[in-house]
Amino acid sequence: MNLFASESEVLAPLASGWFLEHAWLIPVVPAIAFALIILIGKRLPMKGSELGVLSMLSSLVLAAGAGYQWIQRTNSASEEQFVEPVIKSWSWWQSGGFNFGIGQHIDGLSVLVLIVVAFISTLVQIYSLEYLRGDRRYTHFFAALTLFSGGMLAMVLADNMMLFLLGWEIMGLCSFMLIGHWWEDDANSRAALKAFFTVRTGDAGLLVGIAMLYFSANDWTQEHLGVSGFSIRGISAWALSGEPNSTVITIAAVALFIACIGKSGQFPLHTWLPDAMAGPTPVSSLLHSSTMVVAGVYLVARLYPVFFVGLDILGSGGNLIMIIGAITIVISAALAFVQNDIKRVLAYSTVSQLGYMMLGLGAGAWMPAVFHIFTHAFFKACLFLGAGSISHSASHHSFDMKRDMGGLRKVMPITFVTWIISTLALCGVFPFSGFFSKDEIIDNVGHNGYTNFMIIGLVGAFMTAAYMTRATYLTFFGEPRGASAGENLHDSHADHDAHAAHDAHADHDSHEAHGPHESGLLITVPLMILSVLALGSGFLNATPFGESWERMKLWVEPRHSEFAPELHHAPFTWSKASLSLLIVFMGIAISWLISTRLFTKRDPRLVGLTQRVKILGLGHKFLVNKYYLDVLYEKVIVRSIAYPIANAAYWFNQNILDGILHGFANSTRKLSGWVYQNIDQRIVDGTVNNSATLTKSIGTATQPTQSGKVSQYGALLFSAAAIAALVLVIINT
Amino acid sequence: MFVNQFLFLAAVLFCIGVYGVVARKNAVLMLMSIELILNSVNINLLTFALRSGSTDGHVFALYIIAVAAAEVGVGLGLVLLVYRNKKTISLDDLSEMRG
C-alpha cells in the first residue's frame, strides 16, 4: 500500500505534533468567522471586523505552530531520509462510485505558503481597520476578506484536487466581491466582472486538467497507493512513475497551466490584474502579494511532477511555462513605465514578478521560485500598503503620481523608509530579500542551460529597477504637486464619490491640519513589520553565505522523494551575482538621471520627446494602450463571435422573414378588402353589435356581485365548487 | 381502517376553513383559515395514501406543506404592505376593485 513503508521503518521515526495533525483547522477558523460576521457582525461593537482580525490571528498562530513542528520534523529526519508529508483524508461525498475526499497535505511548501497567507492577511485586516473606517459596507468587506483568506488557506493545504478547486473558486468569487466593493461606480463593477470572467476563462483549463488526471491516474493510484486519482500525492507519484501516456500528461499539464495563466495574470490573460486596482487598497495588497495571483504559481509548484514530465522541464529548448513567464516579465515591466497611477505600476510589477516565479518553475528552479513567493509577498504587500497610506493621508485619495504626489519623503517619513526598503527588495539589491530569491532564479535558469532566458531575466531586473526608481522619484522626490501640495482639498470630494468612506473619514479629522501628514499607527505598524521582513526574510535562504544559511531549502525542498523530481542547484558565485547587481544599479542610476531631468528640471531635450520622435511616440502609444490586448479581447474576440451571429439573424429577419410577411400581407390585403365589404360590415358587425348590447345588459345585471370584497368572492367560489361537487356526485351515482 | 373518521375530520376542518375565509374580516385570520383548508386536504391525501399503501399521497402532502409555507410568507408580506399603506387589515375596507 505504501511505497515508502519498508524504507521508513529502517530510518528514524519522524516527529509530528498537534499543530501538524490539526493543520486542517487553519482554513476552518476563517470560514466559521465568515459565517459569524455575516450573521451577527453588524451588531458587534466593531461591526464584525474584530471577528475577522481574531480569526486571522488564530489562523496565524495555528500556521506558525505547524511551521515550527514541521521544522522539528525535518530536523528529526536524517540527511538521506525523505520527510513524509502529514496527510489526512476523510470522505467528503460519494456519487456514482466516485469518492471525493477532503483533507490536508502538509509539507514544507504548504506550511510555508500557509504562514505567508495567514501573516499577510492578519496585517492587511489590521490595516483595513483604519483604511476603511466608516465605509458603507464595512462589515461585508471584512466578511469577504476573511472568506477570501479562508479560500486561499483551504486551497494551499488541500490534499486532493477537488478541495483545491473549491478553494480556488472561493477566491475567484471573493475577488469579484472585493474588487467591486464600491460597485456604485460603474468602472469598479466592470473591473470586478473583467477579473472574474478573465479568470474563469482560465478556469476551464483547471477543470479539464483535473478530469484528465483523474481518469488517467485513478487506476494506478488505487492500485499502488490506495488513494483516488484526485489525491495530489497520488497524481505526483503517478506522474513520475513512468506509467502515464506522454500525450495525455502533456495535454493535462497544458490545461492546468492555462488555469495558472488566468489566475496568476500571465501573458496573455494578465489584463484583469491592473484593472483589479479598482478595489480598496488593502484588497490589492492581499490579492497581489500572497493570495489569488500566487495561486497559479502554487498550483505549478504543488503538482510539479505533472508539469515536469508533461512539459519536459529541464529538457532542451524552452517549454511553455518558461516562454510565458519570460514574455510576461518583459511586457509587463515595459507597461509599468507608462503608468501614472502608482497602484498600476505596482500591479504590473506584480505581473512581472509572477513571470519570474513561472520562469523559475519552468526552468527547474523550484526552490528559488518558491522562495520568491515567500519574499515577494512581504515586499509587495508593503509597497501596496504604502501606496494606500499615501492616498489615505497625503494625496487625498488620489493614486495619480504625476498630478497629486511628489516630495512626500519629508511629510511621510515612515511610509518613505518602508517604501524604499521594499523597493530595494523588489529591485533585488543586496542584502534585501528580493536579491536572494530573484537572483537565485536567474542564476539557476542560466545554470540549467537556458542562457537566453537568463538574459531575459536580467533585462527584466534592469527594467524593474528603472520603473521602480521612476515611481519612487515621482512619489517621494521633487516638488509636491496637486493634493500633496495642499491644493484642491475641497473640490476633489466630487471626483471621488466612490470613496465616500474616505470622505467620511476626511470630515472626521477635518479639524486637524488637513494637508499631507503621516498615517496613523494602525497603518504604519503593518508597514514597519512588513519592511523588516522585506529586509530580513532573504536571510532564511541566503545562498551566498554557504550551505548552513540555506535553511529554507532544508525545510521546504522535498528530498529523496518519489513524488518530487530531483533537482540540482546552481552553485553561488559572486561574479554572477555582481553582474546582476551591476545591472540593477545601472537601472536605478539611469532611471534616476532621466527622472530628475524630465520631471524636475524639465530638460528640453527630454520633455515632449515622444511627440517629436515618431518611433518613440508610436512605442509610447502602443504601451499606453497596453499592446491593444484589451481592444483585441473586447472588440475583436467578443465581437467576432457576437457580431456574425447578430448579422446573420438580421439578414434572416430582413430577407426571409420579411419577404414571407410582405407577400402574405399583400394577398391578405386584397382578400380582406372583399371580406370587409361583405362579411364584416353585414354579418359580423350585426352580430357584434347585438352581442355587445347583450353583454352590456348582463354586465349591468351582474355588477353588484363585483363588490370588491374578498370574502364575497370566496363565498361565490366555494359555492360554485360545492355545486360542481354535487353535480359530480349525482352523475357518478 | 377507519377511513370515515379521517375523512369526516377533514370535511369538518374544510368547512371551518371555508367559513373563516367567507366570514372573517381580518386578513390574517383569513390566511389562517386557508391553512386549515390546505391541511384538511393533506389529511385526505394521507388517508387515501395509507389505504392504498402507496407513497404518492405522502409526497404530495409534503409538497403542499412546502407550498403552504411559501404562501403564508407571501400572504403575510402582502398583509404587512397593506397595513403600511392603509393602516388597516380589515378586508371590507379593501374594495378598490369594486365593479
Side-chain angles (χ1 to χ4, degrees):
Chain A
M1 183 191 143
N2 190 332
L3 281 176
F4 310 98
S6 56
E7 197 183 334
S8 49
E9 272 164 22
V10 189
L11 297 159
L14 292 164
S16 186
W18 190 88
F19 284 105
L20 282 180
E21 302 287 331
H22 294 82
W24 50 270
L25 283 172
I26 297 171
V28 170
V29 175
I32 294 170
F34 163 73
L36 285 177
I37 295 173
I38 286 286
L39 289 176
I40 59 168
K42 285 198 171 162
R43 270 173 263 154
L44 293 173
M46 284 168 73
K47 309 257 183 223
S49 57
E50 66 269 63
L51 280 175
V53 175
L54 269 181
S55 71
M56 288 331 298
L57 267 177
S58 27
S59 284
L60 177 60
V61 169
L62 289 170
Y68 177 69
Q69 289 182 346
W70 177 260
I71 290 171
Q72 283 186 326
R73 189 177 170 89
T74 47
N75 288 344
S76 72
S78 64
E79 194 67 21
E80 300 302 312
Q81 188 181 353
F82 167 58
V83 186
E84 191 129 358
V86 184
I87 298 178
K88 279 181 173 265
S89 190
W90 298 275
S91 197
W92 183 11
W93 42 283
Q94 287 173 307
S95 165
F98 293 93
N99 189 357
F100 298 101
I102 187 167
Q104 61 172 43
H105 178 113
I106 296 296
D107 61 359
L109 173 65
S110 49
V111 163
L112 178 75
V113 181
L114 282 176
I115 294 175
V116 171
V117 171
F119 185 75
I120 305 274
S121 304
T122 311
L123 290 185
V124 165
Q125 292 223 353
I126 292 171
Y127 180 96
S128 312
L129 291 178
E130 166 76 18
Y131 195 84
L132 284 186
R133 176 166 295 154
D135 190 84
R136 74 196 90 144
R137 278 186 291 276
Y138 192 73
T139 307
H140 284 143
F141 178 81
F142 275 92
L145 207 58
T146 310
L147 184 65
F148 186 79
S149 304
M152 180 73 188
L153 292 168
M155 190 202 85
V156 169
L157 58 65
D159 81 314
N160 65 69
M161 292 313 287
M162 291 313 285
L163 186 56
F164 190 96
L165 181 69
L166 177 79
W168 180 284
E169 296 295 350
I170 288 177
M171 268 197 290
L173 171 70
C174 290
S175 65
F176 170 75
M177 299 192 321
L178 289 169
I179 294 168
H181 181 69
W182 291 313
W183 47 259
E184 284 87 350
D185 199 347
D186 195 37
N188 293 349
S189 63
R190 233 175 317 153
L193 275 178
K194 186 174 175 183
F196 191 66
F197 284 128
T198 315
V199 174
R200 292 299 313 172
T201 311
D203 285 358
L206 185 62
L207 287 174
V208 171
I210 291 176
M212 282 185 72
L213 287 176
Y214 177 81
F215 286 111
S216 41
N218 194 32
D219 290 343
W220 191 90
T221 52
Q222 293 286 6
E223 191 186 327
H224 289 85
L225 295 168
V227 293
S228 84
F230 288 122
S231 157
I232 284 173
R233 173 188 159 136
I235 294 172
S236 307
W238 168 79
L240 290 175
S241 66
E243 198 71 15
N245 178 327
S246 65
T247 321
V248 170
I249 197 163
T250 303
I251 296 174
V254 169
L256 288 178
F257 188 63
I258 289 171
C260 302
I261 290 177
K263 202 75 160 179
S264 285
Q266 299 292 295
F267 178 83
L269 291 182
H270 64 276
T271 51
W272 69 269
L273 238 152
D275 285 22
M277 293 297 118
T281 310
V283 174
S284 317
S285 171
L286 188 60
L287 224 76
H288 284 200
S289 60
S290 61
T291 56
M292 186 79 184
V293 295
V294 170
V297 181
Y298 183 79
L299 174 60
V300 179
R302 177 84 285 172
L303 283 181
Y304 201 54
V306 174
F307 295 95
F308 191 81
V309 176
L311 295 176
D312 191 27
I313 290 172
L314 292 184
S316 57
N319 57 52
L320 181 67
I321 302 182
M322 285 175 76
I323 294 167
I324 295 285
I327 294 175
T328 310
I329 292 174
V330 177
I331 62 140
S332 54
L335 286 175
F337 282 103
V338 295
Q339 302 300 323
N340 292 335
D341 184 320
I342 187 167
K343 274 169 81 182
R344 280 179 177 261
V345 175
L346 296 177
Y348 282 117
S349 120
T350 303
V351 175
S352 164
Q353 295 302 309
L354 291 165
Y356 274 107
M357 298 175 199
M358 285 298 184
L359 176 66
L361 289 170
W366 189 87
M367 189 58 231
V370 170
F371 191 51
H372 199 51
I373 295 179
F374 178 72
T375 56
H376 173 258
F378 298 125
F379 58 71
K380 190 49 66 63
C382 187
L383 287 172
F384 269 112
L385 295 184
S389 166
I390 294 166
S391 94
H392 189 68
S393 307
S395 67
H396 209 83
H397 323 309
S398 161
F399 288 102
D400 196 317
M401 295 188 295
K402 281 195 175 153
R403 214 182 56 200
D404 285 326
M405 294 183 190
L408 288 173
R409 69 183 187 282
K410 287 166 205 142
V411 282
M412 307 187 84
I414 300 174
T415 310
F416 173 63
V417 170
T418 55
W419 173 281
I420 288 293
I421 291 174
S422 309
T423 303
L424 291 176
L426 171 61
C427 298
V429 175
F430 180 83
F432 297 92
S433 58
F435 168 77
F436 296 104
S437 51
K438 190 154 92 178
D439 211 52
E440 270 294 285
I441 292 180
I442 297 174
D443 195 7
N444 275 290
V445 170
H447 179 72
N448 290 341
Y450 305 108
T451 319
N452 297 337
F453 287 95
M454 184 181 80
I455 293 168
I456 294 176
L458 288 172
V459 170
F462 176 82
M463 293 167 86
T464 309
Y467 69 70
M468 280 315 291
T469 308
R470 171 182 176 271
T472 309
Y473 185 84
L474 279 174
T475 313
F476 289 103
F477 294 90
E479 288 302 307
R481 294 175 294 274
S484 297
E487 291 168 19
N488 306 328
L489 278 185
H490 299 287
D491 312 347
S492 57
H493 279 261
D495 301 344
H496 299 283
D497 53 348
H499 296 237
H502 301 191
D503 291 346
H505 174 62
D507 294 340
H508 152 77
D509 63 9
S510 56
H511 56 276
E512 299 164 18
H514 199 81
H517 55 94
E518 183 59 271
S519 305
L521 277 180
L522 282 174
I523 287 182
T524 48
V525 168
L527 282 177
M528 287 187 271
I529 297 175
L530 284 170
S531 65
V532 168
L533 283 163
L535 176 61
S537 62
F539 289 99
L540 282 172
N541 202 30
T543 37
F545 305 133
E547 192 80 18
S548 60
W549 284 78
E550 296 182 29
R551 314 304 302 171
M552 200 59 94
K553 184 178 152 199
L554 185 71
W555 296 329
V556 173
E557 190 173 52
R559 46 189 152 145
H560 310 289
S561 161
E562 294 211 12
F563 35 84
E566 285 292 327
L567 298 168
H568 302 285
H569 291 270
F572 181 85
T573 53
W574 276 107
S575 55
K576 279 190 280 183
S578 49
L579 172 69
S580 73
L581 278 176
L582 185 71
I583 285 174
V584 167
F585 282 124
M586 263 167 55
I588 295 178
I590 292 174
S591 173
W592 179 267
L593 281 176
I594 294 179
S595 297
T596 22
R597 291 273 144 69
L598 180 61
F599 299 126
T600 307
K601 296 182 183 155
R602 312 293 303 168
D603 191 321
R605 277 171 299 171
L606 286 171
V607 174
L609 197 64
T610 48
Q611 276 98 42
R612 277 180 281 124
V613 184
K614 200 164 181 214
I615 181 107
L616 284 179
L618 283 178
H620 185 256
K621 200 174 162 214
F622 192 51
L623 286 178
V624 169
N625 286 300
K626 299 174 256 178
Y627 308 110
Y628 294 97
L629 278 176
D630 277 335
V631 181
L632 176 73
Y633 294 154
E634 278 160 29
K635 301 267 159 59
V636 180
I637 295 184
V638 173
R639 287 203 179 175
S640 65
I641 298 169
Y643 269 37
I645 296 175
N647 281 338
Y650 183 73
W651 182 86
F652 186 75
N653 198 356
Q654 284 294 311
N655 295 318
I656 299 191
L657 288 183
D658 280 12
I660 295 173
L661 276 177
H662 286 173
F664 195 64
N666 282 335
S667 45
T668 313
R669 206 170 58 202
K670 279 176 202 148
L671 184 68
S672 54
W674 182 82
V675 170
Y676 175 75
Q677 289 300 329
N678 296 299
I679 299 180
D680 190 84
Q681 288 292 311
R682 291 184 193 160
I683 304 173
V684 178
D685 274 15
T687 322
V688 167
N689 286 341
N690 283 337
S691 60
T693 325
L694 183 68
T695 314
K696 193 183 171 191
S697 49
I698 293 175
T700 322
T702 55
Q703 199 184 16
T705 59
Q706 301 293 318
S707 61
K709 286 189 177 136
V710 188
S711 30
Q712 201 179 338
Y713 296 163
L716 283 171
L717 181 77
F718 280 115
S719 27
I723 291 166
L726 259 175
V727 170
L728 266 178
V729 170
I730 291 166
I731 290 171
N732 281 340
T733 46
Chain B
M1 213 186 105
F2 307 106
V3 172
N4 282 345
Q5 281 89 328
F6 289 105
L7 293 185
F8 187 68
L9 172 68
V12 169
L13 273 180
F14 188 83
C15 291
I16 295 173
V18 169
Y19 172 77
V21 170
V22 173
R24 285 287 167 184
K25 295 200 169 73
N26 188 319
V28 176
L29 285 174
M30 199 184 87
L31 278 177
M32 288 167 70
S33 309
I34 292 174
E35 284 304 297
L36 277 185
I37 294 172
L38 287 170
N39 280 317
S40 75
V41 173
N42 271 346
I43 293 175
N44 269 1
L45 281 170
L46 292 176
T47 311
F48 288 115
L50 283 174
R51 206 175 83 152
S52 67
S54 114
T55 54
D56 294 359
H58 299 274
V59 173
F60 267 106
L62 281 174
Y63 266 119
I64 289 176
I65 289 169
V67 172
E71 171 255 311
V72 168
V74 176
L76 286 178
L78 285 174
V79 171
L80 206 67
L81 280 179
V82 164
Y83 182 75
R84 268 196 208 148
N85 289 324
K86 301 225 147 205
K87 295 289 166 220
T88 174
I89 48 169
S90 167
L91 292 169
D92 285 352
D93 297 338
L94 305 171
S95 50
E96 277 84 0
M97 296 285 279
R98 186 170 50 235

